């Protein structure tokens, strides 16, 4: 009879993957991930059948964490600008506070290793965000643009803001506000 899988070992593998992917990129070998987790490489494959499976499960875990961070206290009934600023602030704050996780999720989001099914699953629970984005894009300069273009613009500006804050921490407030104002003006045409 097979031994039950340990949630602690699985978590250790995912934490090691975050650390090493943030440092070395997606090509980091599974042997290094297992070593940092304090687990044999063979045991890694008990928890994750392939490296691709590990990356897909890691992506989902990180997306769930980002979603919880962004949406658990989402101000559903606030004005559009307040809701947009809330999402902006929560995403940028996550990227700064959890720089390794931010680096990894950014890499995984453009990786060919992430399956379409994983991408679909990763979007579950973001309904309030999607509704807000659609509401924003009903006005201003982006009103005739595809939804995917608008969300890519939002993510690009948030990611650029996080990168500038990381490079210039003494000017964090300046870049944080300037990034949001640039996005808000693009959306509203102000």
């Amino acid at each position: 009879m097979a031994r039950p899988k340990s949630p602690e070992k699985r978590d250790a593998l995912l934490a090691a993957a975050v650390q090493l992917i943030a440092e070395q990129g997606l090509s980091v070998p599974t042997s290094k991930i297992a070593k940092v987790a304090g687990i044999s490489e063979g045991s890694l494959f008990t928890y994750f059948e392939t490296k691709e499976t590990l990356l897909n499960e890691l992506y989902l875990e990180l997306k769930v964490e980002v979603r919880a961070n962004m949406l658990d206290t989402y101000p559903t009934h606030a004005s559009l600008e307040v809701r947009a600023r809330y999402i902006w602030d929560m995403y940028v704050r996550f990227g700064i506070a959890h720089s390794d996780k931010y680096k990894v999720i950014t890499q995984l989001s453009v990786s060919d290793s992430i399956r379409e099914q994983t991408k679909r699953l990763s979007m579950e629970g973001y309904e309030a965000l999607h509704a807000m984005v659609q509401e924003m894009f009903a006005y201003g300069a982006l009103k005739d643009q595809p939804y995917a273009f608008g969300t890519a613009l939002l993510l690009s500006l948030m990611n650029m803001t996080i990168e500038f804050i990381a490079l210039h921490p003494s000017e964090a407030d300046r870049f944080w506000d300037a990034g949001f104002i640039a996005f808000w003006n693009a959306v509203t045409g102000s």
Side-chain angles (χ1 to χ4, degrees):
M1 180 173 178
R3 289 188 310 191
K5 294 179 185 177
S6 160
E8 294 81 16
K9 287 183 180 180
R10 182 182 184 281
D11 291 346
L13 288 163
L14 292 173
V18 166
Q19 176 191 335
L20 291 169
I21 292 169
E23 293 170 0
Q24 301 174 26
L26 293 172
S27 63
V28 67
T30 54
S31 60
K32 283 189 177 182
I33 294 170
K35 183 176 181 178
V36 168
I39 297 168
S40 72
E41 187 174 12
S43 291
L44 180 146
F45 293 111
T46 300
Y47 290 87
F48 306 100
E49 191 174 298
T50 64
K51 183 177 179 183
E52 184 177 279
T53 301
L54 167 66
L55 295 176
N56 278 265
E57 289 192 32
L58 177 59
Y59 183 70
L60 283 175
E61 293 267 337
L62 293 173
K63 290 290 280 190
V64 166
E65 185 175 345
V66 169
R67 180 181 63 231
N69 182 58
M70 286 175 55
L71 297 175
D72 277 357
T73 57
Y74 178 72
T76 306
H77 302 293
S79 71
L80 179 59
E81 184 174 4
V82 167
R83 287 179 284 142
R85 181 63 193 235
Y86 175 86
I87 292 297
W88 180 275
D89 288 347
M90 297 307 287
Y91 184 88
V92 171
R93 188 172 292 122
F94 181 88
I96 294 165
H98 306 284
S99 60
D100 283 356
K101 290 178 179 180
Y102 166 76
K103 288 176 189 173
V104 173
I105 202 165
T106 302
Q107 290 179 57
L108 289 172
S109 68
V110 295
S111 170
D112 291 337
S113 295
I114 303 304
R115 299 179 199 108
E116 286 303 316
Q117 178 184 3
T118 301
K119 290 177 185 177
R120 281 192 303 278
L121 286 172
S122 75
M123 297 311 294
E124 290 180 1
Y126 281 94
E127 291 79 12
L129 175 60
H130 294 304
M132 182 204 70
V133 170
Q134 287 179 326
E135 186 179 346
M136 282 192 300
F137 298 157
Y139 312 101
L142 300 177
K143 70 179 179 181
D144 295 323
Q145 301 305 319
Y147 176 82
F149 178 80
T151 55
L153 178 64
L154 173 60
L155 282 170
S156 295
L157 285 172
M158 288 191 296
N159 290 336
M160 178 212 56
T161 299
I162 292 167
E163 297 300 323
F164 265 79
I165 290 170
L167 292 172
H168 310 282
S170 65
E171 298 183 79
D173 291 342
R174 174 182 162 208
F175 292 128
W176 199 309
D177 289 337
F180 178 75
I181 291 166
F183 173 72
W184 186 251
N185 288 344
V187 170
T188 62
S190 300

